[in-house]
């Protein structure tokens, strides 16, 4: 295996505060994720799964440890350098959708491309294509307020996809949705993983949703307690 | 990228049109006030200059008494002039082209059922020449009118309007006190002077007629002189003062009992007042620009807080801190530039109205407009920077969690 793993966390800690009141949100995590995996991170509240997600997503820097992304050390990068990393390699899907209000679906999806410096016409085309992929070709000029929760989450997925990232980080993507819509969203993520080989890392506390993943990471108190792979069908 | 940022800013501004409008209102009012003040001020200065030109920068007036300009006693105690003094001044001082004797009082002019209280002036044709009056109809005075003091008069436009409406007054007879006098001429209108007084409100008759039939004495109340072209007005005024002292037998060390004024003094005094007023009002307007800037900063800060989540989203999808900074800074600058443009339009509109109302010329100064525009951009930069920096320094995780 000459190629380094996509994500390699080595003894990562994240500590908030100092001394007596220091909180160890992550306490020496070791985790290796290969390209094309679909991973679910579960655990009780306060177990550090969101912090892990933020560190992997380069929104947060670990207090100690090494984080290699495609073999490149990113733990010590500046904020602007991490922004570039997010821009080119990562896509985010949040529980609360986090779309810009009073802004069309098309423009929301275009947003990452603006920062990539893509020209208007190209951007439009790419955003429309991403929206078509999530089944919203008919609704590209709708504002988020005119879309259902499931549709908004699909716009968010299109926004995460549009920049051709290597990883999609989904933070409780179905947390605000009913079961039927949740299944739709999960099917969509699964399809992206299977068809396009996208690596997906998802935080959830719904076991049904975690079942879609190939690998389950169970966290407690800032540590990984279990790391299980779904048995391959023989 | 800059073009994108500008597009983004414009979108953000028009996503909340009402609030954006209220935000820039301070700038609009400030810029409008400055533009209107300066333009109207400039217009009135131009008007003073034009008035002085019209009357002639070479006009000098001699009045009995001292400090007539300051509203002092104004020659009630001091002796009046005489026709002889007038003619001596004209003859003796080479730089004086002509000197018109003027006597005047206020009286009612009557024609049929109409009447008007107006200035009754006794003088001769030299006054028409020195004060640059042109005829609209009829004629000025004949030598015969002047010599024998005939009952004839030349009237101004305002008097004609009051007494005759739109009819031709020439040949009609009007009555002033016990005098019936024939209108032989009508002057061309000069309109209101900068001093606000109606320059066309008079009845002029030969001075002999005035002395005999209206005043009952032979006093001359004003000498109205015109200095020869090319000659120095100041030197002429010195010469006039010396000669007048001599003629009125004022001893060494005694004060003048008359005053020599030229139009420049009026003009200087008046534009001085205009300048001070313009300066003061512009200062007030500048303060309101500052307040407008603070208003922009306030709203931008609110906007940053309100859009914390949006900033978080942008940071998460790969915006760098300086791109967020630029976005908010550009938004503030565009906001204040929009305010500046609206203010310039409003200010020019107000200046046109003001110029119409004061009947002064409308003379917009491109420099001031440019300055106002530049200043509003500066306001945007200065007052937009702090909120923009605050936005750029947000932590993406915190910002995304913000409700």
């Amino acid at each position: 295996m000459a190629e380094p793993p996509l994500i390699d966390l080595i003894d990562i800690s994240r500590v908030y505060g100092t001394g007596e009141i220091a909180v160890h949100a992550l306490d020496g995590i070791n985790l290796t994720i290969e390209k094309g995996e679909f991973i679910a991170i579960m655990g009780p509240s306060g177990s550090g799964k969101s912090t892990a997600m933020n560190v992997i997503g380069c929104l947060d820097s670990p207090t100690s440890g090494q984080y290699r992304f495609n073999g490149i050390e990113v733990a010590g990068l500046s904020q602007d350098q991490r922004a570039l990393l997010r821009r080119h390699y990562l896509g985010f899907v949040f529980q609360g959708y986090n779309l810009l209000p009073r802004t069309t679906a098309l423009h929301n999806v275009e947003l990452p491309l603006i920062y990539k410096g893509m020209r208007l016409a190209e951007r439009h085309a790419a955003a429309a294509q991403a929206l078509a992929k999530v089944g919203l070709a008919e609704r590209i000029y709708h504002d988020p307020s005119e879309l259902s929760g499931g549709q908004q989450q699909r716009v968010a997925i299109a926004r995460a996809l549009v920049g051709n990232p290597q990883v999609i980080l989904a933070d409780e993507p179905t947390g605000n949705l009913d079961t039927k819509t949740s299944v739709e969203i999960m099917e969509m993520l699964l399809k992206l993983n299977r068809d396009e080989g996208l690596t997906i890392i998802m935080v959830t506390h719904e076991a049904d949703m975690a079942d879609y993943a190939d690998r389950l990471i169970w966290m407690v108190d800032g540590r990984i307690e279990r790391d299980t792979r779904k048995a391959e069908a023989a | 990228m800059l073009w994108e940022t500008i597009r983004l800013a414009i979108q953000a501004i028009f996503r909340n049109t009402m609030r954006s409008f209220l935000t820039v209102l301070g700038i609009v009012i400030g810029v409008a006030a400055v533009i209107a003040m300066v333009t109207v001020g400039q217009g009135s200065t131009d008007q003073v200059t034009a008035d002085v030109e019209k009357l002639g920068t070479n006009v000098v007036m001699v009045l009995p008494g001292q400090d007539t300009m300051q509203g002092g006693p104004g020659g009630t105690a001091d002796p009046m002039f005489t026709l002889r003094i007038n003619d001596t001044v004209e003859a003796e001082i080479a730089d004086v082209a002509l000197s018109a004797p003027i006597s005047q009082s206020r009286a009612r002019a009557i024609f049929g059922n109409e009447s008007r209280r107006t200035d009754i002036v006794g003088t001769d044709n030299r006054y028409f020449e020195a004060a640059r009056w042109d005829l609209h109809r009829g004629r000025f005075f004949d030598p015969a009118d002047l010599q024998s003091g005939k009952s004839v008069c030349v009237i101004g436009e305002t008097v004609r309007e009051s007494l005759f409406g739109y009819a031709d007054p020439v040949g009609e007879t009007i009555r002033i006190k016990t005098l019936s006098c024939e209108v032989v001429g009508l002057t061309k209108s000069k309109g209101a002077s900068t001093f606000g007084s109606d320059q066309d409100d008079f009845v002029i008759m030969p001075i002999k007629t005035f002395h005999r039939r209206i005043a009952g004495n032979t006093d001359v109340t004003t000498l109205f002189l015109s200095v020869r072209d090319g000659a120095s007005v100041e030197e002429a005024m010195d010469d006039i003062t010396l000669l007048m002292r001599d003629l009125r037998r004022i001893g060494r060390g005694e004060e003048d009992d008359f005053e020599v004024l030229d139009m420049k003094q009026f003009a200087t005094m008046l534009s001085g007042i205009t300048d001070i007023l313009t300066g003061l009002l512009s200062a007030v307007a500048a303060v309101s620009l500052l307040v407008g800037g603070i208003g922009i900063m306030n709203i931008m800060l609110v906007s940053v807080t309100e859009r914390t989540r949006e900033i978080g989203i942008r940071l998460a999808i790969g915006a760098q801190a300086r791109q967020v900074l630029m976005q908010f800074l550009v938004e503030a600058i565009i906001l204040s530039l929009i305010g500046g443009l609206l203010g310039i339009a409003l200010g020019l509109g107000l200046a046109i109205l003001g110029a119409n109302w004061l009947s002064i010329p409308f003379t917009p100064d491109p420099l001031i407009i440019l300055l106002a525009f530049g200043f509003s951009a500066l306001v945007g930069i200065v007052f937009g920077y702090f909120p923009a920096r605050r936005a750029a320094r947000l932590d993406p995780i915190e910002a995304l969690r913000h409700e």
Side-chain angles (χ1 to χ4, degrees), chain B residues 29-109:
Chain B
I29 292 171
V31 169
V34 170
I35 298 269
M37 286 310 145
V38 173
T39 308
V40 169
Q42 184 59 43
S44 57
T45 306
D46 288 0
Q47 177 70 27
V48 173
T49 317
D51 277 0
V52 170
E53 292 288 319
K54 220 191 286 172
L55 196 58
T57 43
N58 59 344
V59 165
V60 173
M61 282 193 276
V62 186
L63 305 168
Q66 266 294 323
D67 289 340
T68 42
M69 289 269 283
Q70 274 71 39
T76 42
D78 295 306
M80 296 290 162
F81 309 130
T82 61
L83 285 173
R84 192 183 66 80
I85 286 181
N86 180 67
D87 292 345
T88 312
V89 168
E90 186 183 271
E92 295 283 316
I93 299 173
D95 285 346
V96 170
L98 38 87
S99 176
I102 293 176
S103 296
Q104 63 180 336
S105 65
R106 300 276 296 174
R108 192 164 285 280

Side-chain angles (χ1 to χ4, degrees), chain B residues 309-376:
Chain B
R309 189 182 271 264
E310 174 189 329
I311 296 163
I313 296 168
R314 289 181 185 278
L315 290 170
I317 62 171
Q320 290 177 325
R322 63 184 166 82
Q323 289 172 316
V324 172
L325 180 102
M326 273 304 279
Q327 184 196 337
F328 280 86
L329 193 57
V330 165
E331 203 174 310
I333 293 170
I334 289 180
L335 258 183
S336 39
L337 282 184
I338 290 175
L341 283 178
L342 288 177
I344 288 168
L346 182 67
L348 289 178
L350 285 176
I352 289 174
L353 284 182
N356 258 329
W357 185 55
L358 297 168
S359 42
I360 56 171
F362 169 67
T363 49
D365 184 351
L367 191 73
I368 282 295
I369 293 170
L370 219 68
L371 207 70
F373 196 71
F375 194 79
S376 33

Side-chain angles (χ1 to χ4, degrees), chain A residues 2 7 10 20 24 30-31 53 65 83 104 118 129 132 134-135 140 152 154 169 177 180 183 199-200:
Chain A
I7 286 166
I10 304 162
E20 295 281 307
H24 292 256
N30 286 289
L31 180 62
M53 191 74 152
T104 61
M118 202 182 272
Q129 205 186 355
V134 298
I140 60 173
Q152 288 187 57
R154 281 195 271 162
L169 295 143
L177 301 172
K180 184 171 164 283
V183 168
T199 309
I200 294 177

Side-chain angles (χ1 to χ4, degrees), chain B residues 174-353:
Chain B
I174 60 174
R175 195 155 58 77
I176 300 155
K177 292 188 174 173
T178 59
L179 171 71
S180 290
C181 101
E182 186 196 341
V183 177
V184 294
L186 168 68
T187 53
K188 255 186 203 157
S189 170
K190 277 188 182 174
S193 76
T194 324
F195 318 99
S197 61
D198 182 353
Q199 298 180 93
D200 298 317
D201 191 5
F202 58 78
V203 172
I204 297 177
M205 59 185 69
I207 192 159
K208 221 172 212 177
T209 318
F210 182 88
H211 283 156
R212 218 181 279 157
R213 306 294 302 270
I214 306 287
N217 58 38
T218 55
D219 289 345
V220 171
T221 51
T222 308
L223 307 187
F224 197 96
L225 302 94
S226 166
V227 175
R228 238 177 258 289
D229 288 340
S232 153
V233 174
E234 270 164 48
E235 279 172 30
M237 286 168 73
D238 289 345
D239 290 348
I240 293 166
T241 307
L242 281 177
L243 179 61
M244 288 297 292
R245 284 180 70 88
D246 197 26
L247 289 171
R248 285 164 79 86
R249 300 187 204 299
I250 297 168
R252 229 172 225 285
E254 283 180 62
E255 293 223 356
D256 296 348
D257 62 353
F258 60 90
E259 197 166 18
V260 183
L261 300 169
D262 73 334
M263 291 323 288
K264 233 187 259 161
Q265 277 168 284
F266 281 104
T268 317
M269 180 185 73
L270 217 71
S271 34
I273 294 172
T274 318
D275 286 353
I276 289 171
L277 270 178
T278 307
L280 276 178
L281 292 170
S282 300
V284 171
V287 167
S288 87
L289 261 182
L290 188 75
V291 174
I294 293 171
I296 287 212
M297 176 155 77
N298 186 22
I299 295 293
M300 288 305 295
L301 280 173
V302 170
S303 173
V304 167
T305 308
E306 253 185 24
R307 288 155 69 189
T308 298
R309 189 182 271 264
E310 174 189 329
I311 296 163
I313 296 168
R314 289 181 185 278
L315 290 170
I317 62 171
Q320 290 177 325
R322 63 184 166 82
Q323 289 172 316
V324 172
L325 180 102
M326 273 304 279
Q327 184 196 337
F328 280 86
L329 193 57
V330 165
E331 203 174 310
I333 293 170
I334 289 180
L335 258 183
S336 39
L337 282 184
I338 290 175
L341 283 178
L342 288 177
I344 288 168
L346 182 67
L348 289 178
L350 285 176
I352 289 174
L353 284 182

